[in-house]
Amino acid sequence: MPFLLRVELPDVPGSLGRLATAIGEAGGDIEAIEIVEKRHDGTALDDVLLEMSGGAMPDSVVSACNSIEGVSVVWISRYAAGGNLVLDLEAVEELTANPAQAVDRCVDLLPVTFRADWAARVHRAHGTRHRTEAAPDELPFVEIDHTERLEVEGDEVTIYAATRLDGNEIIVIGRRGGPEFLDSELARLDHLVGLAQTIARVD
């Protein structure tokens, strides 16, 4: 079973090497690393996709990472998407394959692209129009002017973000248990959904 580890570390040469060594010694086999955000304070956030080998437990990887000076594990979770990291450019290739369905296909791709659990397209009057399998059957339409984090009353577990398609439709994505959506992820969400709309209009 793959795990996804989000880690904060110094943005200096050698940091990734030390991190990879610690993970390997703790029984983790790294499949992929992606830089999520570079910060002005000299740190970076990275997502590390890994498999545990030889019966090793993810807690041992967390301890090994936290033992490195300047490194802090933000979050670790089982990665239900099957270990297939889809980067933004690959997602765009998927969208252009069938332009007429680009917006709905974008909804399908968002959980993997953003390490989320689900995504849904919600209409003001008609409710959920398209969703991934794990998404709630019904989601409220929320009036938003830009891509932003949402708080849904009565749900203390799921972290939400949404972006506007037009005055009557939004796309919502959710992560159960976190982590919070970063500003850089909100910008990527806005960009990717905007591309999907452009591709659909061109068709």
Side-chain angles (χ1 to χ4, degrees):
M1 178 74 181
F3 286 84
L4 187 69
L5 174 78
R6 177 163 289 182
V7 62
E8 182 182 70
L9 70 165
D11 188 17
V12 297
S15 284
L16 275 179
R18 288 189 291 274
L19 181 70
T21 298
I23 290 173
E25 290 176 349
D29 183 16
I30 295 176
E31 300 287 336
I33 297 177
E34 183 178 352
I35 298 171
V36 176
E37 186 174 70
K38 286 179 175 283
R39 295 171 167 172
H40 296 299
D41 63 359
T43 62
L45 275 181
D46 288 1
D47 279 352
V48 182
L49 182 68
L50 53 90
E51 290 273 1
M52 302 306 300
S53 59
M57 300 297 291
D59 288 351
S60 61
V61 169
V62 172
S63 296
C65 294
N66 284 334
S67 69
I68 305 170
E69 184 177 355
V71 174
S72 175
V73 172
V74 177
W75 179 72
I76 188 169
S77 176
R78 291 182 181 274
Y79 189 51
N84 181 23
L85 289 180
V86 176
L87 302 179
D88 292 355
L89 289 177
E90 294 172 329
V92 171
E93 288 180 9
E94 289 269 356
L95 299 179
T96 56
N98 187 356
Q101 299 297 318
V103 175
D104 284 347
R105 183 60 182 144
C106 182
V107 171
D108 295 336
L109 293 169
L110 290 177
V112 179
T113 307
F114 287 91
R115 324 290 196 270
D117 291 288
W118 54 262
R121 180 178 179 178
V122 183
H123 190 274
R124 179 191 299 272
H126 304 296
T128 302
R129 303 185 74 171
H130 185 79
R131 65 184 181 92
T132 57
E133 185 177 354
D137 291 334
E138 296 296 332
L139 285 163
F141 176 86
V142 180
E143 197 77 55
I144 57 174
D145 294 323
H146 56 274
T147 303
E148 61 184 77
R149 302 171 188 87
L150 297 181
E151 290 188 9
V152 175
E153 187 176 351
D155 190 344
E156 304 294 331
V157 177
T158 305
I159 308 298
Y160 294 85
T163 189
R164 174 177 167 167
L165 286 175
D166 56 37
N168 292 312
E169 276 194 288
I170 60 173
I171 288 178
V172 184
I173 58 177
R175 284 180 180 148
R176 292 190 182 91
E180 290 280 355
F181 288 99
L182 302 170
D183 290 344
S184 58
E185 291 179 302
L186 296 180
R188 287 173 55 215
L189 175 62
D190 183 81
H191 179 67
L192 190 58
V193 171
L195 280 175
Q197 290 181 281
T198 300
I199 291 166
R201 282 196 293 267
V202 168
D203 182 65

Coordinates of all heavy atoms in Angstrom, one line a residue, residues 4 32 34 47 49 79 81-95 105-106 108-116 188 192:
L4 N 1.5 8.6 1.2 CA 1.9 10.0 0.8 C 2.4 10.7 2.0 O 1.6 10.9 3.0 CB 0.8 10.7 0.1 CG 1.2 12.0 -0.6 CD1 2.1 11.8 -1.7 CD2 -0.1 12.8 -1.0
A32 N 8.3 8.6 -5.8 CA 8.3 9.9 -6.5 C 8.4 11.0 -5.5 O 7.9 10.8 -4.3 CB 7.0 10.1 -7.4
E34 N 7.7 15.3 -5.3 CA 7.3 16.5 -6.0 C 7.3 17.7 -5.1 O 6.9 17.6 -3.9 CB 5.8 16.4 -6.5 CG 5.4 17.6 -7.3 CD 3.9 17.4 -7.9 OE1 3.4 16.3 -7.8 OE2 3.4 18.4 -8.4
D47 N 6.1 16.6 -1.4 CA 5.2 15.4 -1.3 C 6.1 14.3 -1.7 O 6.7 14.3 -2.8 CB 4.0 15.5 -2.2 CG 2.9 16.3 -1.5 OD1 3.0 16.7 -0.3 OD2 1.9 16.6 -2.2
L49 N 5.9 10.2 -2.4 CA 5.1 9.0 -2.5 C 6.1 7.8 -2.2 O 7.1 7.7 -2.8 CB 4.6 8.9 -3.9 CG 3.7 7.7 -4.2 CD1 2.4 7.8 -3.5 CD2 3.4 7.5 -5.7
Y79 N -2.3 6.3 0.5 CA -2.5 7.0 -0.8 C -3.4 6.1 -1.6 O -3.0 5.3 -2.3 CB -1.2 7.3 -1.5 CG -1.3 8.2 -2.7 CD1 -2.0 9.4 -2.6 CD2 -0.8 7.9 -3.9 CE1 -2.2 10.3 -3.6 CE2 -0.9 8.7 -5.0 CZ -1.6 9.9 -4.9 OH -1.7 10.7 -5.9
A81 N -5.0 6.6 -4.3 CA -5.0 6.8 -5.8 C -4.1 5.8 -6.4 O -3.9 5.9 -7.6 CB -4.6 8.2 -6.1
G82 N -3.5 4.8 -5.7 CA -2.8 3.8 -6.3 C -1.3 4.1 -6.7 O -0.7 3.5 -7.5
G83 N -0.8 5.2 -6.2 CA 0.6 5.5 -6.4 C 0.8 6.2 -7.8 O 1.9 6.2 -8.3
N84 N -0.2 6.7 -8.5 CA -0.1 7.2 -9.8 C -0.1 8.8 -9.7 O -1.2 9.4 -9.6 CB -1.2 6.8 -10.7 CG -1.1 7.3 -12.1 OD1 0.0 7.8 -12.5 ND2 -2.2 7.4 -12.8
L85 N 1.0 9.4 -9.6 CA 1.1 10.8 -9.5 C 0.8 11.5 -10.9 O 1.6 11.2 -11.8 CB 2.5 11.3 -9.0 CG 2.8 11.0 -7.5 CD1 4.2 11.5 -7.2 CD2 1.8 11.7 -6.6
V86 N -0.2 12.2 -11.0 CA -0.5 12.9 -12.2 C -0.2 14.4 -12.1 O -0.8 15.1 -11.3 CB -2.0 12.8 -12.5 CG1 -2.4 13.6 -13.8 CG2 -2.4 11.3 -12.7
L87 N 0.8 14.8 -12.8 CA 1.2 16.2 -12.8 C 0.3 17.1 -13.7 O -0.5 16.6 -14.5 CB 2.7 16.3 -13.2 CG 3.7 15.5 -12.4 CD1 5.1 15.7 -13.0 CD2 3.6 15.9 -11.0
D88 N 0.4 18.4 -13.5 CA -0.5 19.3 -14.2 C -0.4 19.1 -15.7 O -1.5 19.1 -16.4 CB -0.2 20.7 -13.8 CG -0.6 21.0 -12.3 OD1 -1.1 20.1 -11.7 OD2 -0.3 22.1 -11.9
L89 N 0.8 19.0 -16.2 CA 0.9 18.9 -17.7 C 0.2 17.6 -18.2 O -0.4 17.6 -19.3 CB 2.4 18.9 -18.1 CG 3.1 20.3 -18.0 CD1 4.5 20.1 -18.3 CD2 2.4 21.3 -18.8
E90 N 0.4 16.5 -17.5 CA -0.3 15.3 -17.8 C -1.8 15.4 -17.8 O -2.5 14.8 -18.6 CB 0.2 14.1 -17.0 CG 1.7 13.8 -17.2 CD 2.2 12.8 -16.1 OE1 1.7 12.8 -15.0 OE2 3.1 12.0 -16.5
A91 N -2.3 16.1 -16.8 CA -3.7 16.3 -16.7 C -4.2 17.1 -17.9 O -5.3 16.8 -18.4 CB -4.0 17.1 -15.4
V92 N -3.5 18.1 -18.3 CA -3.9 18.9 -19.5 C -3.9 18.0 -20.7 O -4.8 18.2 -21.6 CB -2.9 20.1 -19.7 CG1 -3.2 20.8 -21.0 CG2 -3.0 21.1 -18.5
E93 N -3.0 17.1 -20.9 CA -3.0 16.2 -22.0 C -4.3 15.4 -22.0 O -5.0 15.1 -23.0 CB -1.8 15.3 -22.0 CG -0.5 16.0 -22.3 CD 0.6 15.0 -22.3 OE1 0.4 13.8 -22.2 OE2 1.8 15.5 -22.4
E94 N -4.8 15.0 -20.8 CA -6.0 14.2 -20.7 C -7.2 15.1 -21.1 O -8.1 14.6 -21.7 CB -6.2 13.8 -19.2 CG -5.2 12.7 -18.8 CD -5.8 11.3 -19.0 OE1 -7.0 11.2 -19.5 OE2 -5.1 10.3 -18.8
L95 N -7.2 16.4 -20.7 CA -8.3 17.3 -21.0 C -8.4 17.5 -22.5 O -9.6 17.6 -23.0 CB -8.1 18.6 -20.3 CG -8.0 18.6 -18.8 CD1 -7.8 20.0 -18.2 CD2 -9.2 17.9 -18.1
R105 N -14.0 15.9 -17.1 CA -12.7 15.1 -17.0 C -11.8 15.8 -16.0 O -11.1 15.1 -15.3 CB -12.1 15.0 -18.4 CG -10.8 14.2 -18.4 CD -11.2 12.7 -18.0 NE -9.9 11.9 -17.9 CZ -9.7 11.0 -17.1 NH1 -10.6 10.7 -16.1 NH2 -8.6 10.3 -17.1
C106 N -11.8 17.1 -16.0 CA -11.0 17.8 -15.0 C -11.4 17.4 -13.6 O -10.6 17.2 -12.7 CB -11.1 19.3 -15.2 SG -10.1 20.3 -14.1
D108 N -12.7 14.6 -12.7 CA -12.2 13.3 -12.5 C -10.7 13.3 -12.1 O -10.3 12.4 -11.3 CB -12.4 12.4 -13.7 CG -13.8 12.2 -14.1 OD1 -14.7 12.3 -13.2 OD2 -14.1 12.0 -15.3
L109 N -9.9 14.2 -12.6 CA -8.5 14.2 -12.4 C -8.1 14.9 -11.1 O -7.0 14.6 -10.6 CB -7.8 14.8 -13.6 CG -7.9 14.1 -15.0 CD1 -7.4 15.0 -16.1 CD2 -7.1 12.8 -14.9
L110 N -8.9 15.8 -10.6 CA -8.5 16.6 -9.5 C -8.0 15.8 -8.3 O -7.0 16.2 -7.6 CB -9.6 17.6 -9.1 CG -9.8 18.7 -10.1 CD1 -11.0 19.6 -9.7 CD2 -8.6 19.6 -10.3
P111 N -8.7 14.7 -7.9 CA -8.3 14.0 -6.7 C -6.9 13.5 -6.7 O -6.1 13.6 -5.8 CB -9.3 12.9 -6.5 CG -10.5 13.4 -7.2 CD -10.0 14.2 -8.4
V112 N -6.5 13.0 -7.9 CA -5.1 12.5 -8.1 C -4.1 13.7 -8.2 O -3.0 13.7 -7.6 CB -5.0 11.6 -9.3 CG1 -3.6 11.1 -9.4 CG2 -5.9 10.4 -9.1
T113 N -4.5 14.7 -9.0 CA -3.6 15.8 -9.2 C -3.3 16.6 -7.9 O -2.2 17.1 -7.7 CB -4.2 16.7 -10.2 OG1 -4.5 16.0 -11.4 CG2 -3.2 17.8 -10.6
F114 N -4.3 16.6 -7.0 CA -4.1 17.4 -5.8 C -4.1 16.6 -4.5 O -4.3 17.1 -3.4 CB -5.3 18.5 -5.7 CG -5.1 19.6 -6.7 CD1 -5.7 19.5 -7.9 CD2 -4.4 20.7 -6.3 CE1 -5.5 20.5 -8.8 CE2 -4.2 21.7 -7.2 CZ -4.8 21.6 -8.5
R115 N -3.9 15.3 -4.7 CA -3.8 14.4 -3.5 C -5.1 14.5 -2.6 O -5.0 14.6 -1.4 CB -2.6 14.7 -2.6 CG -1.3 15.1 -3.4 CD -0.7 13.9 -4.1 NE 0.6 14.3 -4.5 CZ 1.0 14.9 -5.6 NH1 0.1 15.2 -6.5 NH2 2.3 15.2 -5.8
A116 N -6.2 14.7 -3.2 CA -7.5 14.8 -2.5 C -8.2 13.5 -2.6 O -7.9 12.6 -3.3 CB -8.3 16.0 -3.1
R188 N -3.0 26.6 -8.5 CA -2.9 25.6 -9.5 C -4.3 25.1 -9.8 O -4.7 24.8 -11.0 CB -2.1 24.4 -9.0 CG -0.6 24.6 -8.9 CD 0.1 23.4 -8.2 NE -0.3 22.1 -8.9 CZ -0.4 21.0 -8.2 NH1 -0.3 21.0 -6.9 NH2 -0.7 19.9 -8.8
L192 N -5.8 25.2 -13.5 CA -6.2 24.0 -14.2 C -7.7 24.0 -14.6 O -8.0 23.6 -15.8 CB -5.9 22.8 -13.3 CG -6.0 21.4 -14.0 CD1 -5.1 21.3 -15.2 CD2 -5.7 20.3 -13.0

